[in-house]
Amino acid sequence: MMLAHLPSPAQGVWHLGPFPIRAYALCILTGIVVATWWTRRRWVARGGAADDVLDVVMWAVPFGIVGGRLYHVITDPELYFAAGQQPIRALYIWDGGLGIWGAVALGAVGAWIGCRRHGIRLADFADVVAPGLVVAQAIGRWGNYFNQELYGGPTTLPWALQIDAAHRPADTPGIGLYHPTFLYESIWDVGVAVLLVWAGRRFGLRNGRLFALYVAAYTVGRAWIEALRVDHANHFLGLRLNDWTSLVVFAAAVAFFVVRGRHPAAEPVPAPIPAA
């Protein structure tokens, strides 16, 4: 009897003449568009100007992409700089490999620049962008589906993901069904977005606390999903490096959430940078 399973896409790249159209890039771009649209609606609802969001996003997105790639390359340098590898591939973002915490960290720098230009408090903008950001992650994870990457260990569950022979782990070449961890994380991210909207309305979380809740909730899901994955990863004291990152970031987010709740920030609204 044939087990039910999720088929993998036959291809992740289509060619429009000489130009490749990559599903991974389309998923990332779709996530950015959806996050921007939702953030604009939330910002306007708070009395802000819609155009301010576009300007902040124009700073945050390129910084975030560079940060995400840097995190990936720094934490897995042997994939690009070990003997026999091709260092130039460190620039091939379309092949996958964007570390979320590098993207968030450097993206925050870009967002700060954009906010500073318009006299917006970064904490206020972070709270507004949080639900859209995690939905963008949910959409972006489908790029891994098209690339047949970042899946979990073998499984016989009805929703197992069929992986083509060319993309299977070297130690299980005869096994075709694996945990669809991209799907687990995508569903978790949507759940986090729902949590953020509910908590924001129910408790009126402000001053960066809603963003801290996003970080804490996302890392909880990332921890158990990371434990299922079988793709290459460096380990430290028995845990994947991304697990350690999640633990540190989770602790920092919870501490920020608690401290900011007890001592509301008196952060002044920055004066906008005059136009040249």
Side-chain angles (χ1 to χ4, degrees):
M1 179 179 178
M2 179 67 71
L3 289 173
H5 65 270
L6 302 175
S8 285
Q11 63 187 100
V13 182
W14 300 269
H15 288 82
L16 186 62
F19 303 102
I21 307 298
R22 302 180 185 275
Y24 184 86
L26 290 178
C27 291
I28 297 295
L29 290 174
T30 300
I32 292 171
V33 170
V34 171
T36 302
W37 170 81
W38 196 4
T39 300
R40 288 185 71 191
R41 287 178 61 88
R42 287 171 54 81
W43 186 246
V44 169
R46 287 198 178 188
D51 289 344
D52 290 351
V53 172
L54 293 178
D55 192 48
V56 174
V57 168
M58 291 297 293
W59 284 95
V61 168
F63 272 72
I65 291 175
V66 171
R69 191 59 175 179
L70 282 175
Y71 177 89
H72 169 69
V73 172
I74 290 172
T75 55
D76 291 300
E78 64 279 1
L79 297 179
Y80 307 99
F81 303 110
Q85 300 296 335
Q86 299 176 319
I88 188 64
R89 295 189 66 83
L91 302 177
Y92 292 2
I93 296 177
W94 52 86
D95 283 343
L98 292 176
I100 181 60
W101 297 123
V104 170
L106 210 53
V109 174
W112 177 83
I113 295 173
C115 287
R116 182 69 177 81
R117 287 166 54 87
H118 292 280
I120 298 170
R121 293 178 64 228
L122 180 60
D124 292 338
F125 187 83
D127 287 336
V128 171
V129 78
L133 177 58
V134 75
V135 166
Q137 290 174 237
I139 296 171
R141 272 304 176 206
W142 285 83
N144 302 132
Y145 170 59
F146 282 93
N147 282 355
Q148 296 195 45
E149 60 186 3
L150 306 189
Y151 46 84
T155 182
T156 57
L157 291 170
W159 54 83
L161 177 65
Q162 175 73 46
I163 297 296
D164 295 341
H167 299 283
R168 296 173 190 169
D171 56 347
T172 55
I175 299 177
L177 300 178
Y178 298 83
H179 279 287
T181 50
F182 85 91
L183 181 59
Y184 298 164
E185 186 168 334
S186 185
I187 293 173
W188 182 271
D189 290 345
V190 172
V192 171
V194 173
L195 170 66
L196 295 178
V197 172
W198 173 80
R201 292 175 178 174
R202 176 67 177 82
F203 302 106
L205 299 177
R206 298 292 183 99
N207 294 319
R209 296 184 77 210
L210 191 68
F211 190 85
L213 179 60
Y214 144 68
V215 172
Y218 172 75
T219 53
V220 170
R222 182 60 184 267
W224 68 265
I225 293 169
E226 191 78 19
L228 294 174
R229 284 171 41 175
V230 295
D231 54 294
H232 168 82
N234 288 311
H235 289 71
F236 179 69
L237 296 179
L239 288 179
R240 291 164 67 99
L241 185 57
N242 281 334
D243 276 326
W244 285 110
T245 302
S246 292
L247 284 170
V248 172
V249 173
F250 173 80
V254 171
F256 179 92
F257 185 91
V258 173
V259 172
R260 185 58 67 96
R262 293 177 177 174
H263 306 285
E267 178 184 346
V269 176
I273 298 176

